[in-house]
Amino acid sequence: VQLQASGGGAVQAGGSLRLSCTATGTIFAIHSMAWYQRRLGSKRELVASITADGHTTYADSVKGRFTISRDNRKKTLHLQMNNLSAEDTALYYCAKGGIYYSDNIDEYDYWGQGTLVTVSS
């Protein structure tokens, strides 16, 4: 299983970015997927998750600004990030979970390489 994340970059506060994650070597459609962020000096934190049937959850800090989505046919996960702020600056990782939703990081067994988002104020 491989997850390839892309779409990070530098943006000014208030701007938008769209992250993508393409999966290979797995039956993508049956697994929950998630985006985690890791700020400098901090541990990875769950940003958003989506189950196989499209149920989504979000961290309070991103609700109303970020949207997670998936295209099972293309085996691709997305994270649309709007109204970005400096606090969103972090490495963003896509991760493959199990059949059901989980907010336990240990339930995510494969990870992308991380894509850096830098927001300047």
Side-chain angles (χ1 to χ4, degrees):
V1 176
Q2 288 191 327
L3 301 177
Q4 181 70 40
S6 62
V11 64
Q12 290 189 330
S16 298
L17 283 173
R18 189 186 193 218
L19 306 184
S20 296
C21 175
T22 301
T24 58
T26 183
I27 306 174
F28 180 82
I30 67 172
H31 293 285
S32 289
M33 299 292 296
W35 288 98
Y36 277 75
Q37 68 176 193
R38 183 169 64 86
R39 298 187 183 95
L40 185 64
S42 300
K43 61 181 180 180
R44 296 185 191 188
E45 297 181 344
L46 182 63
V47 173
S49 66
I50 185 167
T51 61
D53 60 357
H55 179 71
T56 58
T57 59
Y58 296 93
D60 288 342
S61 61
V62 307
K63 282 180 181 176
R65 300 187 300 120
F66 291 11
T67 302
I68 189 171
S69 62
R70 65 192 296 162
D71 184 332
N72 288 337
R73 184 175 60 86
K74 295 182 178 180
K75 295 188 176 182
T76 303
L77 179 74
H78 298 289
L79 185 69
Q80 178 66 41
M81 310 164 70
N82 297 329
N83 194 21
L84 285 160
S85 69
E87 289 70 32
D88 298 317
T89 295
L91 272 170
Y92 285 78
Y93 298 87
C94 57
K96 183 186 80 65
I99 302 298
Y100 303 106
Y101 162 76
S102 176
D103 60 0
N104 181 350
I105 193 171
D106 293 332
E107 298 292 329
Y108 291 88
D109 54 359
Y110 288 93
W111 295 79
Q113 81 283 14
T115 185
L116 180 63
V117 171
T118 304
V119 184
S120 58
S121 57

